[in-house]
Amino acid sequence: MEEGRKMNIIHVTLSGGEPLLHKDILGFLKRCRELDLSVNVLSNLTLLTDDILSEMKKNPLLSVQVSLYSMDATVHDSITKLSGSFEKTKAGILRLCDENIPVQISCPIIKQNKDTYVDVLHWGWDHNIAVATEPVIFAAYDHSGCNLANRLSIEEVDDVLTVQMQEGYAESLHKIAMDRESLTGNDPICSVCRYSFCVTASGTVFPCAGWQNNVIGDLNHQTVQEIWETSAKIKELRQVKRSRFLQCVDCKDRGYCTVCMMWNSNENPDGAPFRINQYRCNVAAMTHRKVDKALQRISSAKITSR
């Protein structure tokens, strides 16, 4: 962090696993504050202590992102594999709110919580907490596909999208799509290694949190500056343009899809980052159709109300 600060790094994310397990977590939080770093902590908050909370409060640039899978304790605990985790996580979220520490709930939608995740949205909104949902999880970086048994089928994604349209997501999704559709083939495909990279607790460096088998440096033998400025892999990733994905550049559904090298690499057994996975294409097309229909209903309702 100290090396990065000298290079004008302004933000650090402390993640895991579970970062609150680390014996030096208080030291990390304190040093971020002393270096005037913006910091985001990704935690389940089950290990939140008074000391950690006190240190978090001292940094006005700190925020927390926490995973909450369901308001049904049985469902949430079945996903975390930790009995009692729901109550601890919920209590931790409320403690952060009481202390005015910015918090966002992350609620990935998988087979286990597809019927109960909506309650998380409403609970978060009732407490003025932003809730981010994602119905399409990516494959594990070891190419084993071990987590994909939990991923929603296309039919289940259809059901989730139907609910999201009913919950008023259409206009925000459309706005994001318009921004994406304005991109050209000459635009960079990704921000990784242009604005950020990730580091393991042991010092291995990789492009992003999901692409841990693509090692681009090692802080045990190199400085942050050496990796950032001289890594051949980083230089290569910085040169990748959207035109590298020819089928995506003019795709009618491109606004509803994030073209991602990490996603492709993890999905493909050989780790190929430029071979598109059809599942993601199908979800993008479905989302596009759902949003268009929802916007048409909204427009009709406004005309009728006049």
Side-chain angles (χ1 to χ4, degrees):
M1 290 191 294
E2 291 170 358
E3 284 184 59
R5 196 67 184 96
K6 293 175 183 177
M7 298 168 60
N8 294 320
I9 287 177
I10 61 173
H11 178 79
V12 169
T13 294
L14 299 176
S15 182
E18 173 50 57
L20 301 194
L21 278 170
H22 200 288
K23 61 183 178 64
D24 290 327
I25 184 62
L26 275 172
F28 291 150
L29 292 171
K30 180 180 178 182
R31 198 70 187 111
C32 284
R33 173 172 54 84
E34 292 170 344
L35 293 169
D36 201 29
L37 284 164
S38 162
V39 57
N40 187 27
V41 181
L42 275 58
S43 169
N44 59 31
L45 298 180
T46 58
L47 300 175
L48 185 66
T49 65
D50 291 341
D51 287 343
I52 293 173
L53 186 64
S54 177
E55 182 56 47
M56 285 180 169
K57 286 170 57 178
K58 294 176 183 177
N59 189 344
L61 302 176
L62 181 140
S63 61
V64 178
Q65 181 178 327
V66 55
S67 293
L68 187 64
Y69 298 99
S70 173
M71 299 312 296
D72 182 328
T74 302
V75 174
H76 178 91
D77 291 359
S78 72
I79 294 172
T80 64
K81 309 297 184 185
L82 182 64
S83 179
S85 63
F86 168 75
E87 292 297 340
K88 290 180 180 179
T89 295
K90 185 177 76 169
I93 293 171
L94 294 176
R95 288 184 73 186
L96 294 179
C97 291
D98 288 342
E99 299 296 343
N100 295 315
I101 296 172
V103 59
Q104 174 183 301
I105 293 172
S106 175
C107 184
I109 306 171
I110 53 181
K111 288 185 180 294
Q112 293 92 322
N113 70 338
K114 62 182 176 64
D115 297 321
T116 61
Y117 79 93
V118 174
D119 294 336
V120 177
L121 294 179
H122 297 162
W123 185 82
W125 295 342
D126 288 344
H127 291 82
N128 295 314
I129 302 171
V131 181
T133 60
E134 175 51 65
V136 182
I137 61 172
F138 55 78
Y141 63 83
D142 62 1
H143 308 297
S144 67
C146 60
N147 63 325
L148 295 186
N150 301 314
R151 186 160 74 183
L152 301 181
S153 67
I154 289 296
E155 293 74 21
E156 289 168 334
V157 174
D158 190 309
D159 293 338
V160 168
L161 290 172
T162 297
V163 173
Q164 288 187 339
M165 297 306 106
Q166 294 168 351
E167 294 291 340
Y169 276 69
E171 291 177 318
S172 60
L173 288 173
H174 179 64
K175 184 179 184 300
I176 294 170
M178 291 178 64
D179 292 337
R180 289 176 177 168
E181 288 169 0
S182 69
L183 298 173
T184 70
N186 290 324
D187 285 305
I189 191 62
C190 189
S191 65
V192 298
C193 295
R194 298 177 61 242
Y195 303 112
S196 63
F197 59 43
C198 293
V199 184
T200 65
S202 60
T204 306
V205 182
F206 43 92
C208 65
W211 209 356
Q212 296 185 34
N213 60 347
N214 186 9
V215 177
I216 58 177
D218 186 344
L219 288 175
N220 294 295
H221 309 293
Q222 303 163 281
T223 65
V224 172
Q225 188 167 0
E226 286 173 341
I227 296 171
W228 189 252
E229 294 180 355
T230 67
S231 167
K233 285 190 175 181
I234 283 183
K235 291 180 179 179
E236 181 181 350
L237 288 170
R238 286 175 182 160
Q239 296 303 313
V240 179
K241 307 293 185 184
R242 297 182 69 83
S243 57
R244 186 73 181 267
F245 298 86
L246 291 176
Q247 73 185 78
C248 304
V249 173
D250 295 317
C251 175
K252 64 181 177 62
D253 303 313
R254 65 187 183 279
Y256 297 89
C257 178
T258 302
V259 183
C260 179
M261 293 181 287
M262 175 274 290
W263 173 284
N264 295 334
S265 177
N266 291 359
E267 291 281 337
N268 295 320
D270 59 357
F274 301 110
R275 189 185 313 131
I276 301 294
N277 181 273
Q278 190 60 42
Y279 175 90
R280 192 65 174 266
C281 299
N282 293 342
V283 171
M286 182 188 301
T287 305
H288 192 174
R289 291 195 300 271
K290 294 272 188 182
V291 169
D292 282 352
K293 289 182 179 179
L295 292 178
Q296 289 172 6
R297 288 195 296 270
I298 292 171
S299 178
S300 297
K302 287 180 178 178
I303 292 172
T304 301
S305 66
R306 293 193 189 114

